[in-house]
Amino acid sequence: MALREEKKRATRLAIADAAMGLFVAHGFDRVTVAEVADAARVSVNTVFNYFPTKEDLFFDRQAEVIDRLAGAVRRRADGESPAAAIKRLFLDELRRNEPTLGLSAHATTFWRLVDASPALQARLRLLGEQTETALAEAITESIGAGKRDATPRLLAAALAGVDRALHAEIRHRLQSGDAPEAVRRDIRKAAGIFESLADLDVQ
């Protein structure tokens, strides 16, 4: 069973890598799934078995992205608030240079592809909505809130909004030509904005 799962992971990675290579070379909208399959040396059906849509090929880590903030809340320490847990997550990602933060030379290429594709922009908005929904559900479960309690949804919107704004600032700064280390230093300070949500936060 372990060998089979390893082969599946390897196949998935090979398909995603082949797709990204084609997207970078030709643009997302100009590449077909058939071309991805040919580059990865698999059938079109195999591609769709691993990636239901072409957008899934581009955002191949979207499940991790959607669960990222919710996971931080579910794993928070006793007495730690959701805002504190998410701030701690963000700072840890800065420290270990988490790839999805975009603090690398490859990030500008990634965002150039997104900016050139309405389909990818739409998927990015959907990922943001799904992330916020997952976070609201995690906060609701964490504090035992009732379905009519709006606090988890309001808090999730505020926390996800701050997180999204910090990522956007990283993107803007790098696209403006700023050095990654300078951006990292400034964003670390800016992450203190999570503390401004203390009045809305819950235990």
Side-chain angles (χ1 to χ4, degrees), residues 162 192-200:
V162 168
I193 196 172
F194 282 114
E195 297 168 5
S196 68
L197 301 175
D199 291 340
L200 179 61

Side-chain angles (χ1 to χ4, degrees), residues 140-158:
T140 297
E141 295 171 2
S142 179
I143 67 174
K147 292 183 179 180
R148 295 181 180 274
D149 188 347
T151 300
R153 292 186 293 277
L154 295 174
L155 181 56

Side-chain angles (χ1 to χ4, degrees), residues 28-166:
F28 177 81
D29 294 329
R30 294 188 177 186
V31 174
T32 67
V33 174
E35 289 170 332
V36 172
D38 185 60
R41 298 184 178 181
V42 298
S43 69
V44 171
N45 284 342
T46 297
V47 173
F48 282 124
N49 283 340
Y50 287 91
F51 302 94
T53 70
K54 194 169 79 163
E55 289 78 11
D56 294 327
L57 282 164
F58 187 85
F59 293 109
D60 62 303
R61 294 184 60 186
Q62 61 186 341
E64 298 173 41
V65 171
I66 291 170
D67 189 61
R68 174 175 156 269
L69 300 182
V73 169
R74 289 194 299 268
R75 295 187 299 269
R76 65 193 175 113
D78 291 341
E80 185 178 37
S81 69
I86 289 175
K87 178 184 177 183
R88 179 165 56 83
L89 168 71
F90 188 86
L91 292 177
D92 179 63
E93 290 174 338
L94 275 177
R95 179 187 57 77
R96 56 185 171 84
N97 201 27
E98 162 59 36
T100 55
L101 284 178
L103 278 165
S104 71
H106 301 294
T108 53
T109 299
F110 179 90
W111 289 115
R112 175 176 57 80
L113 289 168
V114 172
D115 290 340
S117 172
L120 291 179
Q121 293 170 31
R123 174 57 66 91
L124 189 64
R125 289 191 293 271
L126 177 61
L127 291 178
E129 294 170 2
Q130 292 174 324
T131 297
E132 187 175 315
T133 297
L135 176 57
E137 292 173 352
I139 293 173
T140 297
E141 295 171 2
S142 179
I143 67 174
K147 292 183 179 180
R148 295 181 180 274
D149 188 347
T151 300
R153 292 186 293 277
L154 295 174
L155 181 56
L159 291 171
V162 168
D163 182 75
R164 190 160 49 246
L166 289 170

